[in-house]
């Protein structure tokens, strides 16, 4: 009873205004006590998913990430974290179920870093990656980049080339996550800007400039050694950064 009687604190965030994205940065390396508190908010299906992770570290990251997500969404909805329910789209995109659907969100995590993007009612996608040497960058690029993107990448060398690849990749992923189809979409047909210093832009979706223009892409600098991107449907987007403490 006490839990469900939880009241919105005066400092609790309101739903982001039109065009505003709240971007929460979450450190998944939470101490054991906090981890147990977060675990207690997970649903049975989430707990089942958690135990399926073989490595303890992955289990911990999943529990911390879901728990933090529930905690963040609870602040916007005034619903207790335990009582929030998710439904899943055709390719697994989680959304809030029930009558609190006005809050849209998306999550990405890499190592101990998670990002949670929250909007009022606009489709949003977020992605974070650690910039790292790939054994076969060329091979990856051949699969996931368009011809135009490959030729821009071909003009770059060394660290700039690796970084440009990941910036490009996170932009594409943020977009397919916003749509909800994930990697079922033909990513090589989603074209984005990637030249160093070029503002992030969605240029074409399967050759179509028009539908690309409906979207805003933002580059994120989530931490040293990481790159990220945000895709939001609409224009005049403002990103407001928050840090989740729990
Ligand atoms: C969604 C997807 C792009 C995730 O990419 P990723 O870089 O590995 O992971 P990220 O950390 O960026 O995102 C994971 C989060 O995105 C969210 N998510 C899951 N499916 C999603 C989808 N279709 N669209 C948007 N977001 C999704 C979840 O919150 C997930 O967090 P969780 O694992 O803690 O539940 C990728 O897994 C995908 O395309 N899935 C589609 C389903 C599919 O076709 N699966 C077949 C795989 S063999």
């Amino acid at each position: 009873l006490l839990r469900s009687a939880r009241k919105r604190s005066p400092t609790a965030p309101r739903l982001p205004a039109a065009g505003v994205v709240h971007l929460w940065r979450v450190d998944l390396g939470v101490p054991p006590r906090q981890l147990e508190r977060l675990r207690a908010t997970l649903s049975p299906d989430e707990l089942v998913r958690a135990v399926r992770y073989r490595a303890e570290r992955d289990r911990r990251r999943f529990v911390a990430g879901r728990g933090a997500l529930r905690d963040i969404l609870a602040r916007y909805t005034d619903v207790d974290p335990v009582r929030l329910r998710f439904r899943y789209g055709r390719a697994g995109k989680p959304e809030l179920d029930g009558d609190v659907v006005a809050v849209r969100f998306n999550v990405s995590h890499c190592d101990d870093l998670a990002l949670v993007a929250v909007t009022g009612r606009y489709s949003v996608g977020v992605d974070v990656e650690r910039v790292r040497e790939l054994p076969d960058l060329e091979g990856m690029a051949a699969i996931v980049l368009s011809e135009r993107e490959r030729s821009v990448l071909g003009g770059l060398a060394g660290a700039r080339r690796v970084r440009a690849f990941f910036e490009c990749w996170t932009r594409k992923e943020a977009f397919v996550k916003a749509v909800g189809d994930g990697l079922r979409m033909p990513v090589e047909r989603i074209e984005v800007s990637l030249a160093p210093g070029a503002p992030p832009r969605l240029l074409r979706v399967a050759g179509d400039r028009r539908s690309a223009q409906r979207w805003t892409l933002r580059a994120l600098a989530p931490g040293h050694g990481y790159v990220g991107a945000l895709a939001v449907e609409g224009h005049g987007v403002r990103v407001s950064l928050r840090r989740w403490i729990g």
Side-chain angles (χ1 to χ4, degrees):
L1 187 73
L2 267 180
R3 274 184 165 168
S4 54
R6 185 182 131 121
K7 283 276 176 293
R8 182 191 285 276
S9 86
T11 53
R14 295 277 152 202
L15 214 56
V20 178
V21 181
H22 291 176
L23 186 72
W24 294 80
R25 189 183 193 286
V26 176
D27 180 357
L28 299 175
V30 298
R33 278 243 193 117
Q34 191 178 13
L35 187 67
E36 288 325 304
R37 276 201 302 275
L38 294 171
R39 192 192 306 276
T41 67
L42 267 49
S43 62
D45 64 296
E46 287 169 334
L47 293 171
V48 167
R49 212 184 131 188
V51 297
R52 287 206 184 121
Y53 284 100
R54 291 246 196 94
E56 191 279 327
R57 192 184 62 180
D58 295 337
R59 241 183 350 253
R60 190 246 307 148
R61 286 175 175 161
F62 175 74
V63 170
R66 262 312 154 100
L69 174 66
R70 284 179 171 274
D71 181 75
I72 289 168
L73 296 175
R75 301 177 192 206
Y76 290 97
T77 55
D78 259 356
V79 176
D80 189 273
V82 184
R83 295 165 64 100
L84 288 171
R85 278 182 299 121
F86 295 109
R87 59 181 156 79
Y88 295 88
R90 55 188 181 269
K93 183 175 184 174
E95 294 190 339
L96 277 175
D97 202 3
D99 46 9
V100 283
V101 283
V103 186
R104 308 286 294 271
F105 67 92
N106 194 231
V107 179
S108 183
H109 37 78
C110 187
D111 307 328
D112 267 344
L113 169 66
L115 297 177
V116 178
V118 180
T119 72
R121 72 176 93 96
Y122 304 90
S123 296
V124 63
V126 65
D127 191 50
V128 57
E129 295 283 342
R130 180 161 37 82
V131 178
R132 56 197 189 272
E133 288 292 338
L134 291 172
D136 184 14
L137 191 143
E138 219 47 61
M140 275 288 277
I143 297 168
V144 299
L145 303 197
S146 72
E147 235 177 274
R148 269 193 211 97
E149 289 166 339
R150 285 208 301 276
S151 86
V152 177
L153 197 72
L156 303 171
R160 271 156 64 90
R161 180 184 172 84
V162 176
R163 192 179 173 87
F165 174 80
F166 278 103
E167 284 176 348
C168 175
W169 176 243
T170 54
R171 288 169 197 179
K172 286 171 183 251
E173 268 224 69
F175 172 69
V176 298
K177 292 182 72 186
V179 173
D181 283 345
L183 299 176
R184 289 178 180 191
M185 280 185 105
V187 274
E188 76 286 0
R189 303 203 66 207
I190 293 155
E191 286 193 57
V192 299
S193 57
L194 76 145
R201 272 185 44 216
L202 184 64
L203 302 173
R204 287 175 202 81
V205 178
D208 181 359
R209 281 172 185 271
R210 274 269 185 95
S211 50
Q213 280 165 1
R214 298 204 329 260
W215 293 84
T216 297
L217 283 185
R218 283 292 156 83
L220 307 174
H224 184 69
Y226 294 86
V227 292
L230 191 70
V232 194
E233 197 167 15
H235 296 281
V237 172
R238 190 169 68 79
V239 181
S240 162
L241 301 175
R242 275 116 217 272
R243 189 150 172 230
W244 182 80
I245 307 289

